[in-house]
Amino acid sequence: MVTLEEITPQNFEDFMDMELPEHQRNYLSSNAYSIAQAKYYDDYIPRGIYCDGKPAGFLLYDKQSNNNVGEYGIYRFMVDYQQQGKGIGRRAMELLLAELKAKPDVKLITICYKPDNANAQAFYRGFGFEETGLDDIGEMIAVIRP
């Protein structure tokens, strides 16, 4: 069973050192960096991905991406390398998208990834994200308009 849980003083260390496989590490900032961002940016929401009650991954989203009310930006989404390939990421993304689409002000959900990350592209397309072009740092922007 996969759940999304709040990051708290009691569990944040479980997520700080999670890792990606070597070939994925250049695609995403560390969880420690993301947890620090969430501490200082009020609109950033960090969530722990749990599988059967155990930490399995991490995500971070912004409630007002680009300071636009109703625009939710998914900034981090990862499953710990030891937990990959078990369907945890797919279920966690389903849960996250359901949560975001249920927000009364949602107009847009965005996610960015490196254009050479074919696995991310296929994964996000499978949820209905449509690519809109590159951002100012060269990452692909993909969106869902609920």
Side-chain angles (χ1 to χ4, degrees):
M1 182 169 130
V2 175
T3 59
L4 304 180
E5 305 292 336
E6 182 180 353
I7 300 294
T8 67
Q10 292 74 35
N11 71 4
F12 82 94
E13 289 185 17
D14 293 334
F15 302 95
M16 295 285 283
D17 297 325
M18 284 186 173
E19 294 183 351
L20 293 169
E22 185 68 37
H23 68 279
Q24 294 176 358
R25 289 187 185 152
N26 66 329
Y27 292 135
L28 202 60
S29 295
S30 73
N31 292 351
Y33 181 79
S34 300
I35 290 168
Q37 284 181 302
K39 179 71 176 162
Y40 295 102
Y41 294 102
D42 292 337
D43 292 330
Y44 284 27
I45 309 298
R47 303 292 296 279
I49 300 170
Y50 282 79
C51 182
D52 297 328
K54 295 180 182 173
F58 176 82
L59 64 88
L60 176 74
Y61 71 86
D62 183 354
K63 296 189 295 188
Q64 293 188 47
S65 183
N66 299 315
N67 294 318
N68 295 319
V69 174
E71 188 172 313
Y72 291 80
I74 303 169
Y75 293 158
R76 307 285 186 274
F77 187 86
M78 67 86 71
V79 174
D80 190 54
Y81 78 98
Q82 296 172 347
Q83 300 298 321
Q84 290 187 8
K86 300 176 182 179
I88 295 167
R90 184 161 306 285
R91 182 63 184 135
M93 182 58 74
E94 289 170 354
L95 292 170
L96 176 59
L97 289 175
E99 179 180 314
L100 297 180
K101 289 177 180 180
K103 304 278 185 190
D105 65 345
V106 67
K107 296 175 191 158
L108 186 70
I109 300 169
T110 64
I111 196 157
C112 294
Y113 48 87
K114 304 239 186 227
D116 65 337
N117 189 344
N119 289 336
Q121 180 186 49
F123 181 77
Y124 298 127
R125 275 188 183 166
F127 290 98
F129 282 95
E130 296 178 1
E131 294 179 345
T132 62
L134 299 177
D135 66 10
D136 58 349
I137 61 169
E139 290 191 344
M140 181 59 66
I141 303 167
V143 303
I144 290 177
R145 299 180 197 284

